[in-house]
Amino acid sequence: MTSISIDPANTTEIDVSQLLSAARQDAARQDADAADAEALGQLLQLYRNYLTILATTQLDRRLRRRMSPSDLVQDTMLAAHRDFRSFRGGSEPELLCWLRQILVNCLRDAIDMHLNAQKRDMRREVSIEQVGATLDKSACHLANVLADRGPSPSEPARRRERAVELADQLAKLRPEYRDVIVLRNLQGLSFNEIADRLDRRPGTVRMLWLRAMDKFKQTYDDPRA
């Protein structure tokens, strides 16, 4: 079994390529059991918060009454564990693309199960990839608003990672704070749209967002500092 120790408080120092390689070695073992999946578990755990943000953008009021973003992410994690041997990529961006596709599939299954959908909803089919593609830009924008330190020399190469880093920062907040920031700042929804999504009044959502942003500014720790 291949094992790599990870300090949850210092994920910025993780060599993801090394962890990916270790997970692939464990998955390739013919006699692999639950204990041998440790490296894969560590690898996938790095992206739980990132996937939670994407899941948050996809669940409307109807689905939220039946499942939470964490439920959708848990289904995604279980599917990723089960099907990891089919992953053929060798880089972190390829892994994220693969995980987003699994999230899409789990979302479709949830719609079929809970809403009795008979046809594919094409808007939902493309929306997660659209959110994933624009999350980096939104994450950098929000991070710069909170801590205007200017770009670091390695910023272009780290653009994707900042989306994951921001997701980890948002995970420190209460779920309702995280959700309203994701929907308002990252997805760009109006307060009326967020109110409909969260089944709240627009005025309540506005006050919730103000409190959430204030708390986020207090807790935000710029990884570039």
Side-chain angles (χ1 to χ4, degrees), residues 51-72 107 110-111 114-115 124 175-184 187 189 193-200 208:
L51 291 171
T52 297
I53 282 186
L54 296 182
T56 297
T57 68
Q58 300 304 302
L59 299 185
D60 60 18
R61 182 168 55 185
R62 295 174 301 166
L63 276 174
R64 280 178 176 269
R65 290 172 178 170
R66 295 167 172 82
M67 68 186 308
S68 67
S70 61
D71 293 329
L72 184 56
L107 177 61
I111 292 173
H114 297 296
L115 302 182
R124 289 189 180 279
E176 60 180 359
Y177 282 177
R178 178 202 66 212
D179 290 356
V180 74
I181 289 177
V182 169
L183 295 173
R184 177 64 176 172
Q187 200 170 9
L189 299 185
E193 290 171 323
I194 298 173
D196 182 68
R197 181 75 67 89
L198 301 181
D199 200 15
R200 294 171 178 253
L208 178 65

Side-chain angles (χ1 to χ4, degrees), residues 112-164:
D112 289 340
M113 178 183 299
H114 297 296
L115 302 182
N116 297 318
Q118 300 301 314
K119 297 181 180 180
R120 290 186 305 174
D121 184 333
M122 298 306 294
R123 179 183 63 80
R124 289 189 180 279
E125 181 175 347
V126 300
S127 59
I128 287 182
E129 279 304 319
Q130 290 173 339
V131 171
T134 60
L135 181 59
D136 299 342
K137 181 178 179 180
S138 299
C140 288
H141 173 72
L142 179 57
N144 289 334
V145 168
L146 295 175
D148 187 12
R149 302 176 185 273
S152 67
S154 60
E155 191 65 20
R158 290 176 53 79
R159 188 167 298 166
R160 202 288 314 155
E161 287 86 342
R162 280 187 69 75
V164 177

Side-chain angles (χ1 to χ4, degrees), residues 1-6 14-29 32-47 81 84 95:
M1 176 180 68
T2 305
S3 177
I4 297 177
S5 177
I6 291 180
I14 294 173
D15 185 337
V16 175
S17 61
Q18 181 184 5
L19 194 55
L20 178 58
S21 177
R24 193 180 297 281
Q25 291 176 26
D26 284 349
R29 289 169 54 92
D33 55 25
D36 291 324
E38 181 178 353
L40 177 57
Q42 291 176 320
L43 176 67
L44 295 180
Q45 189 63 30
L46 296 179
Y47 305 107
H81 271 278
F84 186 71
L95 177 62

